[in-house]
Amino acid sequence: MEIEATVLAIKRAQQVLDTAYFGLKTLKSGDPAEKSAGLRNVLVFGRSVTFVIQNLRTIVGESKFNSWYEPHQNQMRADPLMRYFVEARNNLEKQGRLDVAVSGTVHSFSGGDLAKIEKPPFDATSFFMGDQNGGSGWEMDLGGGETIKYYVSIPKTVGEFRQVFHSLPDNIPEELRSLSVDALCEIYLGKLSGLLAAVKKEFLIGPKERPYLRLVK
């Protein structure tokens, strides 16, 4: 039935969006080594939301769907941030490229500051701040010339580091250009959430009004 197929298609779109949000959660609060995976999930699953939504075209009818979807599609195409995320996903899928860099500031770093930072589980060879993932921590020698990174949190009084997109086009609004990768991802997914909410409002049948009896005296 059309209603059941519509519900299923929208449910799948919600699941895909939820997966993108899980990527955002990893990007914002996960281990620095996992940030890349979080961003990849935001880009891939975020882009897939619109693909899944368009499956409704064969369910509700091409004419009905297109007349509703085209204004939303045109709005997304005219949005520089939405266009950028489409291109970022394409770069990832076709070239395996993530256009991110690290921006940060060291406020204070002395022997006293270092003493306040979590120590590694065994002897470290060096301390680093603001690597390609925006993380800080210790490099430890595993022997045989192999090293491994042990990430720790550093106080903001010592330094602040974040990932940024280094290839934002000139038409991105100025107020967005200085935001971090995770902040821009949150805005992007918020726009997709708004689109999915509009889909539900348009194509899901809400509960019918309960019938009532009219009493005639």
Side-chain angles (χ1 to χ4, degrees):
M1 295 177 61
E2 178 184 315
I3 295 177
E4 294 177 350
T6 299
V7 170
L8 180 59
I10 294 176
K11 180 180 179 181
R12 286 174 177 166
Q14 183 65 62
Q15 290 171 334
V16 171
L17 180 60
D18 289 344
T19 304
Y21 266 109
F22 184 78
L24 176 62
K25 181 180 179 180
T26 302
L27 178 62
K28 293 175 67 175
S29 60
D31 187 293
E34 299 174 350
K35 286 182 178 292
S36 176
L39 177 56
R40 289 171 186 270
N41 283 337
V42 170
L43 295 178
V44 173
F45 286 94
R47 181 70 178 108
S48 296
V49 171
T50 55
F51 292 154
V52 177
I53 287 174
Q54 290 180 72
N55 289 337
L56 288 168
R57 183 178 284 110
T58 58
I59 299 173
V60 303
E62 185 170 351
S63 177
K64 179 180 179 180
F65 180 81
N66 287 345
S67 63
W68 175 85
Y69 187 66
E70 284 178 4
H72 294 278
Q73 188 176 48
N74 291 336
Q75 184 178 12
M76 288 187 289
R77 286 174 174 171
D79 187 322
L81 185 64
M82 297 296 283
R83 288 300 310 161
Y84 176 77
F85 271 89
V86 170
E87 293 167 6
R89 177 263 185 187
N90 291 341
N91 289 336
L92 174 62
E93 291 286 283
K94 297 175 182 178
Q95 303 175 33
R97 192 178 84 217
L98 288 174
D99 294 328
V100 296
V102 174
S103 174
T105 303
V106 176
H107 302 299
S108 170
F109 191 66
S110 64
D113 294 316
L114 191 61
K116 300 175 184 177
I117 295 173
E118 178 188 346
K119 299 299 184 289
F122 52 88
D123 291 342
T125 59
S126 62
F127 185 80
F128 63 90
M129 288 194 291
D131 69 356
Q132 70 273 17
N133 298 312
S136 302
W138 303 90
E139 281 198 347
M140 300 183 297
D141 187 2
L142 297 180
E146 184 178 355
T147 61
I148 189 172
K149 289 182 176 180
Y150 180 77
Y151 287 101
V152 298
S153 297
I154 62 173
K156 290 185 177 181
T157 54
V158 172
E160 296 179 88
F161 300 90
R162 59 181 185 162
Q163 287 185 316
V164 295
F165 289 114
H166 64 66
S167 59
L168 289 175
D170 293 338
N171 61 349
I172 295 291
E174 189 63 33
E175 64 270 18
L176 300 180
R177 301 185 66 82
S178 61
L179 297 181
S180 64
V181 166
D182 52 283
L184 289 176
C185 285
E186 191 160 12
I187 294 173
Y188 169 60
L189 294 185
K191 292 174 182 287
L192 291 176
S193 295
L195 175 64
L196 187 54
V199 170
K200 293 176 180 179
K201 182 178 180 180
E202 179 69 20
F203 297 107
L204 285 184
I205 299 176
K208 296 181 179 179
E209 293 184 3
R210 298 178 64 180
Y212 63 94
L213 295 176
R214 182 181 179 186
L215 299 178
V216 179
K217 295 183 179 179

